mmCIF file of all heavy atoms in Angstrom:
data_model
loop_
_atom_site.group_PDB
_atom_site.id
_atom_site.type_symbol
_atom_site.label_atom_id
_atom_site.label_comp_id
_atom_site.label_asym_id
_atom_site.label_seq_id
_atom_site.Cartn_x
_atom_site.Cartn_y
_atom_site.Cartn_z
ATOM 1 N N MET W 260 0.360 8.265 -4.536
ATOM 2 C CA MET W 260 -0.065 6.996 -4.030
ATOM 3 C C MET W 260 0.641 5.915 -4.813
ATOM 4 O O MET W 260 0.817 6.028 -6.014
ATOM 5 C CB MET W 260 -1.588 6.880 -4.196
ATOM 6 C CG MET W 260 -2.270 5.812 -3.378
ATOM 7 S SD MET W 260 -1.919 4.139 -3.809
ATOM 8 C CE MET W 260 -2.985 3.798 -5.139
ATOM 9 N N ALA W 261 1.061 4.897 -4.111
ATOM 10 C CA ALA W 261 1.698 3.747 -4.762
ATOM 11 C C ALA W 261 1.314 2.480 -4.015
ATOM 12 O O ALA W 261 1.148 2.501 -2.792
ATOM 13 C CB ALA W 261 3.214 3.897 -4.756
ATOM 14 N N GLU W 262 1.165 1.385 -4.751
ATOM 15 C CA GLU W 262 0.966 0.072 -4.157
ATOM 16 C C GLU W 262 2.257 -0.710 -4.307
ATOM 17 O O GLU W 262 2.966 -0.543 -5.300
ATOM 18 C CB GLU W 262 -0.161 -0.680 -4.864
ATOM 19 C CG GLU W 262 -1.521 -0.067 -4.665
ATOM 20 C CD GLU W 262 -2.596 -0.861 -5.380
ATOM 21 O OE1 GLU W 262 -2.348 -1.328 -6.514
ATOM 22 O OE2 GLU W 262 -3.670 -1.030 -4.797
ATOM 23 N N TRP W 263 2.565 -1.575 -3.353
ATOM 24 C CA TRP W 263 3.806 -2.320 -3.415
ATOM 25 C C TRP W 263 3.672 -3.686 -2.748
ATOM 26 O O TRP W 263 2.731 -3.940 -2.007
ATOM 27 C CB TRP W 263 4.953 -1.526 -2.791
ATOM 28 C CG TRP W 263 4.605 -0.785 -1.537
ATOM 29 C CD1 TRP W 263 4.240 0.530 -1.438
ATOM 30 C CD2 TRP W 263 4.575 -1.296 -0.205
ATOM 31 N NE1 TRP W 263 3.991 0.846 -0.122
ATOM 32 C CE2 TRP W 263 4.187 -0.250 0.649
ATOM 33 C CE3 TRP W 263 4.823 -2.535 0.356
ATOM 34 C CZ2 TRP W 263 4.066 -0.404 2.035
ATOM 35 C CZ3 TRP W 263 4.691 -2.693 1.727
ATOM 36 C CH2 TRP W 263 4.324 -1.628 2.537
ATOM 37 N N HIS W 264 4.642 -4.552 -3.044
ATOM 38 C CA HIS W 264 4.756 -5.883 -2.437
ATOM 39 C C HIS W 264 6.138 -5.971 -1.808
ATOM 40 O O HIS W 264 7.138 -5.662 -2.449
ATOM 41 C CB HIS W 264 4.576 -6.982 -3.493
ATOM 42 C CG HIS W 264 4.711 -8.346 -2.935
ATOM 43 N ND1 HIS W 264 3.705 -8.953 -2.229
ATOM 44 C CD2 HIS W 264 5.743 -9.210 -2.953
ATOM 45 C CE1 HIS W 264 4.122 -10.158 -1.844
ATOM 46 N NE2 HIS W 264 5.355 -10.333 -2.273
ATOM 47 N N PHE W 265 6.200 -6.359 -0.546
ATOM 48 C CA PHE W 265 7.458 -6.427 0.189
ATOM 49 C C PHE W 265 7.741 -7.878 0.559
ATOM 50 O O PHE W 265 6.860 -8.584 1.045
ATOM 51 C CB PHE W 265 7.359 -5.581 1.465
ATOM 52 C CG PHE W 265 8.599 -5.611 2.304
ATOM 53 C CD1 PHE W 265 9.682 -4.815 1.982
ATOM 54 C CD2 PHE W 265 8.681 -6.436 3.414
ATOM 55 C CE1 PHE W 265 10.834 -4.834 2.749
ATOM 56 C CE2 PHE W 265 9.824 -6.470 4.190
ATOM 57 C CZ PHE W 265 10.899 -5.662 3.860
ATOM 58 N N GLU W 266 8.970 -8.326 0.308
ATOM 59 C CA GLU W 266 9.411 -9.659 0.693
ATOM 60 C C GLU W 266 10.754 -9.554 1.393
ATOM 61 O O GLU W 266 11.584 -8.724 1.015
ATOM 62 C CB GLU W 266 9.569 -10.562 -0.531
ATOM 63 C CG GLU W 266 8.283 -10.881 -1.230
ATOM 64 C CD GLU W 266 8.473 -11.862 -2.385
ATOM 65 O OE1 GLU W 266 9.371 -12.726 -2.280
ATOM 66 O OE2 GLU W 266 7.724 -11.758 -3.360
ATOM 67 N N CYS W 267 10.946 -10.405 2.402
ATOM 68 C CA CYS W 267 12.235 -10.405 3.095
ATOM 69 C C CYS W 267 12.454 -11.767 3.754
ATOM 70 O O CYS W 267 11.556 -12.594 3.826
ATOM 71 C CB CYS W 267 12.293 -9.304 4.145
ATOM 72 S SG CYS W 267 11.208 -9.596 5.561
ATOM 73 N N THR W 268 13.660 -11.967 4.236
ATOM 74 C CA THR W 268 13.987 -13.122 5.061
ATOM 75 C C THR W 268 14.552 -12.580 6.369
ATOM 76 O O THR W 268 15.507 -11.804 6.356
ATOM 77 C CB THR W 268 15.018 -14.034 4.370
ATOM 78 O OG1 THR W 268 14.467 -14.460 3.118
ATOM 79 C CG2 THR W 268 15.356 -15.240 5.212
ATOM 80 N N TRP W 269 13.922 -12.958 7.475
ATOM 81 C CA TRP W 269 14.344 -12.466 8.785
ATOM 82 C C TRP W 269 14.668 -13.667 9.663
ATOM 83 O O TRP W 269 13.806 -14.505 9.907
ATOM 84 C CB TRP W 269 13.235 -11.620 9.407
ATOM 85 C CG TRP W 269 13.540 -11.133 10.780
ATOM 86 C CD1 TRP W 269 13.006 -11.604 11.949
ATOM 87 C CD2 TRP W 269 14.435 -10.092 11.142
ATOM 88 N NE1 TRP W 269 13.514 -10.927 13.015
ATOM 89 C CE2 TRP W 269 14.406 -9.978 12.545
ATOM 90 C CE3 TRP W 269 15.267 -9.258 10.426
ATOM 91 C CZ2 TRP W 269 15.168 -9.055 13.233
ATOM 92 C CZ3 TRP W 269 16.019 -8.332 11.111
ATOM 93 C CH2 TRP W 269 15.975 -8.234 12.492
ATOM 94 N N LYS W 270 15.923 -13.748 10.073
ATOM 95 C CA LYS W 270 16.391 -14.855 10.918
ATOM 96 C C LYS W 270 16.042 -16.201 10.310
ATOM 97 O O LYS W 270 15.585 -17.117 10.989
ATOM 98 C CB LYS W 270 15.827 -14.724 12.326
ATOM 99 C CG LYS W 270 16.320 -13.481 13.038
ATOM 100 C CD LYS W 270 15.816 -13.414 14.456
ATOM 101 C CE LYS W 270 16.376 -12.169 15.130
ATOM 102 N NZ LYS W 270 15.929 -12.064 16.526
ATOM 103 N N GLY W 271 16.187 -16.299 8.975
ATOM 104 C CA GLY W 271 15.983 -17.537 8.266
ATOM 105 C C GLY W 271 14.551 -17.826 7.848
ATOM 106 O O GLY W 271 14.295 -18.813 7.181
ATOM 107 N N SER W 272 13.612 -16.990 8.247
ATOM 108 C CA SER W 272 12.201 -17.209 7.891
ATOM 109 C C SER W 272 11.747 -16.198 6.848
ATOM 110 O O SER W 272 11.898 -14.987 7.051
ATOM 111 C CB SER W 272 11.313 -17.069 9.128
ATOM 112 O OG SER W 272 11.626 -18.043 10.078
ATOM 113 N N PRO W 273 11.173 -16.676 5.742
ATOM 114 C CA PRO W 273 10.679 -15.744 4.728
ATOM 115 C C PRO W 273 9.373 -15.080 5.174
ATOM 116 O O PRO W 273 8.587 -15.658 5.927
ATOM 117 C CB PRO W 273 10.439 -16.636 3.504
ATOM 118 C CG PRO W 273 10.201 -17.990 4.071
ATOM 119 C CD PRO W 273 11.003 -18.068 5.337
ATOM 120 N N GLY W 274 9.180 -13.871 4.727
ATOM 121 C CA GLY W 274 7.952 -13.136 5.019
ATOM 122 C C GLY W 274 7.616 -12.232 3.855
ATOM 123 O O GLY W 274 8.493 -11.866 3.071
ATOM 124 N N ALA W 275 6.338 -11.877 3.731
ATOM 125 C CA ALA W 275 5.914 -11.009 2.640
ATOM 126 C C ALA W 275 4.575 -10.373 2.985
ATOM 127 O O ALA W 275 3.785 -10.937 3.746
ATOM 128 C CB ALA W 275 5.792 -11.796 1.342
ATOM 129 N N PHE W 276 4.329 -9.179 2.455
ATOM 130 C CA PHE W 276 3.033 -8.532 2.574
ATOM 131 C C PHE W 276 2.899 -7.445 1.515
ATOM 132 O O PHE W 276 3.890 -6.971 0.965
ATOM 133 C CB PHE W 276 2.790 -7.960 3.972
ATOM 134 C CG PHE W 276 3.766 -6.889 4.393
ATOM 135 C CD1 PHE W 276 3.501 -5.550 4.164
ATOM 136 C CD2 PHE W 276 4.939 -7.233 5.031
ATOM 137 C CE1 PHE W 276 4.396 -4.569 4.577
ATOM 138 C CE2 PHE W 276 5.841 -6.263 5.443
ATOM 139 C CZ PHE W 276 5.567 -4.923 5.208
ATOM 140 N N ASP W 277 1.670 -7.085 1.218
ATOM 141 C CA ASP W 277 1.375 -6.000 0.283
ATOM 142 C C ASP W 277 1.053 -4.744 1.076
ATOM 143 O O ASP W 277 0.645 -4.820 2.235
ATOM 144 C CB ASP W 277 0.174 -6.360 -0.601
ATOM 145 C CG ASP W 277 0.469 -7.534 -1.501
ATOM 146 O OD1 ASP W 277 1.427 -7.438 -2.279
ATOM 147 O OD2 ASP W 277 -0.247 -8.543 -1.414
ATOM 148 N N GLY W 278 1.212 -3.612 0.442
ATOM 149 C CA GLY W 278 0.906 -2.370 1.123
ATOM 150 C C GLY W 278 0.750 -1.223 0.147
ATOM 151 O O GLY W 278 0.797 -1.404 -1.070
ATOM 152 N N SER W 279 0.555 -0.035 0.715
ATOM 153 C CA SER W 279 0.447 1.169 -0.105
ATOM 154 C C SER W 279 1.063 2.339 0.645
ATOM 155 O O SER W 279 1.172 2.331 1.871
ATOM 156 C CB SER W 279 -1.008 1.465 -0.476
ATOM 157 O OG SER W 279 -1.746 1.735 0.686
ATOM 158 N N THR W 280 1.471 3.331 -0.122
ATOM 159 C CA THR W 280 2.052 4.556 0.408
ATOM 160 C C THR W 280 1.254 5.732 -0.125
ATOM 161 O O THR W 280 0.943 5.782 -1.311
ATOM 162 C CB THR W 280 3.524 4.699 -0.032
ATOM 163 O OG1 THR W 280 4.255 3.574 0.454
ATOM 164 C CG2 THR W 280 4.150 5.978 0.493
ATOM 165 N N VAL W 281 0.929 6.652 0.759
ATOM 166 C CA VAL W 281 0.267 7.895 0.376
ATOM 167 C C VAL W 281 1.240 9.025 0.689
ATOM 168 O O VAL W 281 1.713 9.133 1.821
ATOM 169 C CB VAL W 281 -1.046 8.098 1.168
ATOM 170 C CG1 VAL W 281 -1.687 9.420 0.803
ATOM 171 C CG2 VAL W 281 -1.995 6.938 0.923
ATOM 172 N N ALA W 282 1.557 9.829 -0.316
ATOM 173 C CA ALA W 282 2.494 10.932 -0.130
ATOM 174 C C ALA W 282 1.895 12.218 -0.682
ATOM 175 O O ALA W 282 1.180 12.198 -1.677
ATOM 176 C CB ALA W 282 3.815 10.641 -0.835
ATOM 177 N N ARG W 283 2.183 13.313 -0.022
ATOM 178 C CA ARG W 283 1.763 14.640 -0.479
ATOM 179 C C ARG W 283 3.025 15.452 -0.753
ATOM 180 O O ARG W 283 3.961 15.435 0.046
ATOM 181 C CB ARG W 283 0.931 15.305 0.609
ATOM 182 C CG ARG W 283 0.262 16.579 0.183
ATOM 183 C CD ARG W 283 -0.640 17.130 1.287
ATOM 184 N NE ARG W 283 -1.654 16.144 1.653
ATOM 185 C CZ ARG W 283 -2.002 15.852 2.916
ATOM 186 N NH1 ARG W 283 -1.417 16.456 3.934
ATOM 187 N NH2 ARG W 283 -2.921 14.950 3.160
ATOM 188 N N LEU W 284 3.050 16.120 -1.889
ATOM 189 C CA LEU W 284 4.207 16.939 -2.262
ATOM 190 C C LEU W 284 3.882 18.425 -2.123
ATOM 191 O O LEU W 284 2.781 18.852 -2.467
ATOM 192 C CB LEU W 284 4.617 16.654 -3.706
ATOM 193 C CG LEU W 284 5.027 15.219 -4.031
ATOM 194 C CD1 LEU W 284 5.318 15.086 -5.512
ATOM 195 C CD2 LEU W 284 6.217 14.803 -3.197
ATOM 196 N N GLU W 285 4.846 19.178 -1.656
ATOM 197 C CA GLU W 285 4.775 20.634 -1.617
ATOM 198 C C GLU W 285 6.123 21.176 -2.071
ATOM 199 O O GLU W 285 7.151 20.801 -1.513
ATOM 200 C CB GLU W 285 4.452 21.137 -0.208
ATOM 201 C CG GLU W 285 3.036 20.838 0.218
ATOM 202 C CD GLU W 285 2.723 21.374 1.614
ATOM 203 O OE1 GLU W 285 3.455 22.267 2.086
ATOM 204 O OE2 GLU W 285 1.756 20.885 2.215
ATOM 205 N N ASP W 286 6.102 22.001 -3.083
ATOM 206 C CA ASP W 286 7.333 22.594 -3.625
ATOM 207 C C ASP W 286 8.343 21.526 -4.029
ATOM 208 O O ASP W 286 9.546 21.674 -3.834
ATOM 209 C CB ASP W 286 7.961 23.567 -2.629
ATOM 210 C CG ASP W 286 7.057 24.729 -2.304
ATOM 211 O OD1 ASP W 286 6.372 25.223 -3.235
ATOM 212 O OD2 ASP W 286 7.008 25.146 -1.126
ATOM 213 N N GLY W 287 7.845 20.412 -4.595
ATOM 214 C CA GLY W 287 8.724 19.358 -5.077
ATOM 215 C C GLY W 287 9.320 18.477 -3.995
ATOM 216 O O GLY W 287 10.192 17.660 -4.270
ATOM 217 N N ARG W 288 8.843 18.621 -2.743
ATOM 218 C CA ARG W 288 9.348 17.811 -1.635
ATOM 219 C C ARG W 288 8.191 17.104 -0.935
ATOM 220 O O ARG W 288 7.071 17.599 -0.916
ATOM 221 C CB ARG W 288 10.076 18.683 -0.611
ATOM 222 C CG ARG W 288 11.337 19.288 -1.162
ATOM 223 C CD ARG W 288 12.001 20.136 -0.121
ATOM 224 N NE ARG W 288 13.371 20.363 -0.524
ATOM 225 C CZ ARG W 288 14.339 20.573 0.321
ATOM 226 N NH1 ARG W 288 14.108 20.592 1.613
ATOM 227 N NH2 ARG W 288 15.556 20.768 -0.113
ATOM 228 N N ILE W 289 8.490 15.969 -0.345
ATOM 229 C CA ILE W 289 7.468 15.241 0.396
ATOM 230 C C ILE W 289 7.150 16.002 1.680
ATOM 231 O O ILE W 289 8.029 16.259 2.499
ATOM 232 C CB ILE W 289 7.937 13.814 0.728
ATOM 233 C CG1 ILE W 289 8.149 13.008 -0.555
ATOM 234 C CG2 ILE W 289 6.927 13.118 1.644
ATOM 235 C CD1 ILE W 289 8.797 11.655 -0.327
ATOM 236 N N SER W 290 5.858 16.369 1.839
ATOM 237 C CA SER W 290 5.445 17.072 3.050
ATOM 238 C C SER W 290 4.610 16.177 3.964
ATOM 239 O O SER W 290 4.349 16.526 5.116
ATOM 240 C CB SER W 290 4.640 18.322 2.682
ATOM 241 O OG SER W 290 3.453 17.972 2.004
ATOM 242 N N TYR W 291 4.167 15.045 3.437
ATOM 243 C CA TYR W 291 3.342 14.116 4.211
ATOM 244 C C TYR W 291 3.581 12.719 3.664
ATOM 245 O O TYR W 291 3.659 12.533 2.451
ATOM 246 C CB TYR W 291 1.865 14.486 4.051
ATOM 247 C CG TYR W 291 0.903 13.504 4.654
ATOM 248 C CD1 TYR W 291 0.551 13.585 5.994
ATOM 249 C CD2 TYR W 291 0.342 12.498 3.885
ATOM 250 C CE1 TYR W 291 -0.345 12.684 6.549
ATOM 251 C CE2 TYR W 291 -0.553 11.594 4.433
ATOM 252 C CZ TYR W 291 -0.895 11.686 5.760
ATOM 253 O OH TYR W 291 -1.774 10.797 6.305
ATOM 254 N N LEU W 292 3.701 11.740 4.547
ATOM 255 C CA LEU W 292 3.928 10.370 4.123
ATOM 256 C C LEU W 292 3.247 9.436 5.114
ATOM 257 O O LEU W 292 3.441 9.551 6.324
ATOM 258 C CB LEU W 292 5.426 10.064 4.073
ATOM 259 C CG LEU W 292 5.837 8.701 3.535
ATOM 260 C CD1 LEU W 292 5.549 8.612 2.045
ATOM 261 C CD2 LEU W 292 7.306 8.452 3.797
ATOM 262 N N ARG W 293 2.418 8.534 4.589
ATOM 263 C CA ARG W 293 1.778 7.517 5.422
ATOM 264 C C ARG W 293 1.795 6.205 4.655
ATOM 265 O O ARG W 293 1.548 6.179 3.461
ATOM 266 C CB ARG W 293 0.350 7.902 5.743
ATOM 267 C CG ARG W 293 -0.343 6.829 6.590
ATOM 268 C CD ARG W 293 -1.652 7.275 7.118
ATOM 269 N NE ARG W 293 -1.395 8.184 8.228
ATOM 270 C CZ ARG W 293 -2.347 8.854 8.853
ATOM 271 N NH1 ARG W 293 -3.590 8.746 8.467
ATOM 272 N NH2 ARG W 293 -2.046 9.658 9.847
ATOM 273 N N GLU W 294 2.101 5.117 5.375
ATOM 274 C CA GLU W 294 2.158 3.806 4.728
ATOM 275 C C GLU W 294 1.223 2.842 5.439
ATOM 276 O O GLU W 294 1.016 2.936 6.647
ATOM 277 C CB GLU W 294 3.591 3.277 4.727
ATOM 278 C CG GLU W 294 4.496 4.139 3.873
ATOM 279 C CD GLU W 294 5.870 3.558 3.694
ATOM 280 O OE1 GLU W 294 6.483 3.137 4.687
ATOM 281 O OE2 GLU W 294 6.325 3.524 2.544
ATOM 282 N N TYR W 295 0.665 1.923 4.648
ATOM 283 C CA TYR W 295 -0.266 0.921 5.146
ATOM 284 C C TYR W 295 0.201 -0.458 4.710
ATOM 285 O O TYR W 295 0.650 -0.625 3.581
ATOM 286 C CB TYR W 295 -1.670 1.144 4.563
ATOM 287 C CG TYR W 295 -2.287 2.475 4.906
ATOM 288 C CD1 TYR W 295 -2.092 3.578 4.075
ATOM 289 C CD2 TYR W 295 -3.067 2.617 6.035
ATOM 290 C CE1 TYR W 295 -2.667 4.797 4.381
ATOM 291 C CE2 TYR W 295 -3.653 3.833 6.347
ATOM 292 C CZ TYR W 295 -3.446 4.924 5.523
ATOM 293 O OH TYR W 295 -4.016 6.130 5.819
ATOM 294 N N SER W 296 0.035 -1.444 5.576
ATOM 295 C CA SER W 296 0.264 -2.837 5.176
ATOM 296 C C SER W 296 -1.074 -3.566 5.223
ATOM 297 O O SER W 296 -1.955 -3.221 6.010
ATOM 298 C CB SER W 296 1.273 -3.521 6.100
ATOM 299 O OG SER W 296 0.768 -3.586 7.417
ATOM 300 N N THR W 297 -1.224 -4.564 4.384
ATOM 301 C CA THR W 297 -2.482 -5.303 4.337
ATOM 302 C C THR W 297 -2.591 -6.246 5.522
ATOM 303 O O THR W 297 -1.596 -6.717 6.059
ATOM 304 C CB THR W 297 -2.603 -6.118 3.046
ATOM 305 O OG1 THR W 297 -1.491 -7.000 2.966
ATOM 306 C CG2 THR W 297 -2.652 -5.242 1.826
ATOM 307 N N THR W 298 -3.830 -6.510 5.915
ATOM 308 C CA THR W 298 -4.083 -7.475 6.979
ATOM 309 C C THR W 298 -4.974 -8.612 6.469
ATOM 310 O O THR W 298 -5.287 -9.524 7.220
ATOM 311 C CB THR W 298 -4.769 -6.799 8.181
ATOM 312 O OG1 THR W 298 -5.976 -6.180 7.735
ATOM 313 C CG2 THR W 298 -3.853 -5.752 8.790
ATOM 314 N N ALA W 299 -5.379 -8.551 5.207
ATOM 315 C CA ALA W 299 -6.213 -9.575 4.583
ATOM 316 C C ALA W 299 -5.763 -9.732 3.134
ATOM 317 O O ALA W 299 -5.119 -8.832 2.581
ATOM 318 C CB ALA W 299 -7.682 -9.172 4.638
ATOM 319 N N PRO W 300 -6.092 -10.833 2.498
ATOM 320 C CA PRO W 300 -5.723 -11.001 1.093
ATOM 321 C C PRO W 300 -6.330 -9.904 0.216
ATOM 322 O O PRO W 300 -7.468 -9.463 0.454
ATOM 323 C CB PRO W 300 -6.317 -12.361 0.722
ATOM 324 C CG PRO W 300 -6.466 -13.078 2.019
ATOM 325 C CD PRO W 300 -6.766 -12.021 3.044
ATOM 326 N N LEU W 301 -5.603 -9.462 -0.780
ATOM 327 C CA LEU W 301 -6.099 -8.451 -1.705
ATOM 328 C C LEU W 301 -7.064 -9.075 -2.703
ATOM 329 O O LEU W 301 -7.001 -10.274 -2.982
ATOM 330 C CB LEU W 301 -4.941 -7.811 -2.469
ATOM 331 C CG LEU W 301 -3.947 -7.008 -1.627
ATOM 332 C CD1 LEU W 301 -2.845 -6.464 -2.517
ATOM 333 C CD2 LEU W 301 -4.636 -5.888 -0.895
ATOM 334 N N TYR W 302 -7.953 -8.278 -3.229
ATOM 335 C CA TYR W 302 -8.865 -8.734 -4.281
ATOM 336 C C TYR W 302 -9.081 -7.597 -5.262
ATOM 337 O O TYR W 302 -8.920 -6.425 -4.917
ATOM 338 C CB TYR W 302 -10.208 -9.194 -3.700
ATOM 339 C CG TYR W 302 -11.009 -8.073 -3.078
ATOM 340 C CD1 TYR W 302 -11.962 -7.380 -3.816
ATOM 341 C CD2 TYR W 302 -10.796 -7.694 -1.761
ATOM 342 C CE1 TYR W 302 -12.683 -6.346 -3.253
ATOM 343 C CE2 TYR W 302 -11.505 -6.659 -1.201
ATOM 344 C CZ TYR W 302 -12.461 -5.990 -1.943
ATOM 345 O OH TYR W 302 -13.156 -4.969 -1.386
ATOM 346 N N ASP W 303 -9.416 -7.925 -6.472
ATOM 347 C CA ASP W 303 -9.736 -6.937 -7.503
ATOM 348 C C ASP W 303 -11.234 -6.992 -7.752
ATOM 349 O O ASP W 303 -11.777 -8.048 -8.084
ATOM 350 C CB ASP W 303 -8.981 -7.231 -8.803
ATOM 351 C CG ASP W 303 -7.498 -6.956 -8.675
ATOM 352 O OD1 ASP W 303 -7.137 -5.937 -8.059
ATOM 353 O OD2 ASP W 303 -6.706 -7.765 -9.173
ATOM 354 N N TRP W 304 -11.909 -5.882 -7.590
ATOM 355 C CA TRP W 304 -13.334 -5.810 -7.806
ATOM 356 C C TRP W 304 -13.618 -5.874 -9.301
ATOM 357 O O TRP W 304 -13.002 -5.144 -10.078
ATOM 358 C CB TRP W 304 -13.880 -4.514 -7.218
ATOM 359 C CG TRP W 304 -15.356 -4.401 -7.293
ATOM 360 C CD1 TRP W 304 -16.273 -5.145 -6.611
ATOM 361 C CD2 TRP W 304 -16.086 -3.493 -8.098
ATOM 362 N NE1 TRP W 304 -17.528 -4.749 -6.928
ATOM 363 C CE2 TRP W 304 -17.455 -3.727 -7.855
ATOM 364 C CE3 TRP W 304 -15.742 -2.503 -8.994
ATOM 365 C CZ2 TRP W 304 -18.458 -3.003 -8.475
ATOM 366 C CZ3 TRP W 304 -16.742 -1.789 -9.604
ATOM 367 C CH2 TRP W 304 -18.081 -2.045 -9.341
ATOM 368 N N THR W 305 -14.498 -6.752 -9.718
ATOM 369 C CA THR W 305 -14.805 -6.911 -11.145
ATOM 370 C C THR W 305 -16.291 -6.736 -11.419
ATOM 371 O O THR W 305 -16.781 -7.139 -12.450
ATOM 372 C CB THR W 305 -14.360 -8.307 -11.632
ATOM 373 O OG1 THR W 305 -15.009 -9.298 -10.849
ATOM 374 C CG2 THR W 305 -12.857 -8.476 -11.539
ATOM 375 N N GLY W 306 -16.997 -6.129 -10.474
ATOM 376 C CA GLY W 306 -18.431 -5.897 -10.655
ATOM 377 C C GLY W 306 -18.719 -4.689 -11.531
ATOM 378 O O GLY W 306 -17.850 -4.185 -12.240
ATOM 379 N N THR W 307 -19.936 -4.237 -11.483
ATOM 380 C CA THR W 307 -20.352 -3.065 -12.240
ATOM 381 C C THR W 307 -21.000 -2.067 -11.297
ATOM 382 O O THR W 307 -21.572 -2.432 -10.259
ATOM 383 C CB THR W 307 -21.346 -3.428 -13.351
ATOM 384 O OG1 THR W 307 -22.482 -4.044 -12.738
ATOM 385 C CG2 THR W 307 -20.730 -4.374 -14.357
ATOM 386 N N TRP W 308 -20.920 -0.792 -11.643
ATOM 387 C CA TRP W 308 -21.562 0.263 -10.870
ATOM 388 C C TRP W 308 -23.023 0.335 -11.254
ATOM 389 O O TRP W 308 -23.404 0.185 -12.410
ATOM 390 C CB TRP W 308 -20.894 1.609 -11.149
ATOM 391 C CG TRP W 308 -19.485 1.667 -10.663
ATOM 392 C CD1 TRP W 308 -18.363 1.588 -11.420
ATOM 393 C CD2 TRP W 308 -19.035 1.783 -9.310
ATOM 394 N NE1 TRP W 308 -17.240 1.651 -10.631
ATOM 395 C CE2 TRP W 308 -17.639 1.773 -9.319
ATOM 396 C CE3 TRP W 308 -19.684 1.906 -8.088
ATOM 397 C CZ2 TRP W 308 -16.874 1.878 -8.178
ATOM 398 C CZ3 TRP W 308 -18.920 2.009 -6.935
ATOM 399 C CH2 TRP W 308 -17.540 1.992 -6.987
ATOM 400 N N LEU W 309 -23.855 0.572 -10.290
ATOM 401 C CA LEU W 309 -25.282 0.735 -10.547
ATOM 402 C C LEU W 309 -25.547 2.163 -10.970
ATOM 403 O O LEU W 309 -24.992 3.106 -10.424
ATOM 404 C CB LEU W 309 -26.094 0.397 -9.301
ATOM 405 C CG LEU W 309 -25.941 -1.027 -8.767
ATOM 406 C CD1 LEU W 309 -26.719 -1.186 -7.458
ATOM 407 C CD2 LEU W 309 -26.430 -2.035 -9.784
ATOM 408 N N ASP W 310 -26.391 2.335 -11.958
ATOM 409 C CA ASP W 310 -26.742 3.686 -12.416
ATOM 410 C C ASP W 310 -27.838 4.279 -11.572
ATOM 411 O O ASP W 310 -28.658 3.706 -11.023
ATOM 412 C CB ASP W 310 -27.186 3.672 -13.872
ATOM 413 C CG ASP W 310 -25.994 3.357 -14.786
ATOM 414 O OD1 ASP W 310 -24.873 3.622 -14.376
ATOM 415 O OD2 ASP W 310 -26.245 2.860 -15.892
#
């Protein structure tokens, strides 16, 4: 699993989004790959877990 930030310029307009990649390895090779892009602003949870 990896998180990433992508930025580009397409036809003169800048664009950017965050995303993540989920990969599964078998015998040292990628056997599964799925990528997600965000549709809302990211946030970091700073609360506490209830016991």
Side-chain angles (χ1 to χ4, degrees):
M260 197 292 277
E262 293 180 320
W263 41 264
H264 179 78
F265 179 81
E266 293 184 32
C267 69
T268 301
W269 177 254
K270 296 183 178 181
S272 297
F276 62 92
D277 295 302
S279 64
T280 300
V281 178
R283 189 176 302 136
L284 300 176
E285 290 181 19
D286 298 321
R288 294 180 163 208
I289 296 172
S290 63
Y291 173 86
L292 185 69
R293 179 170 284 174
E294 295 188 312
Y295 299 90
S296 63
T297 58
T298 57
L301 295 179
Y302 66 93
D303 289 319
W304 185 68
T305 58
T307 59
W308 294 104
L309 300 175
D310 291 335

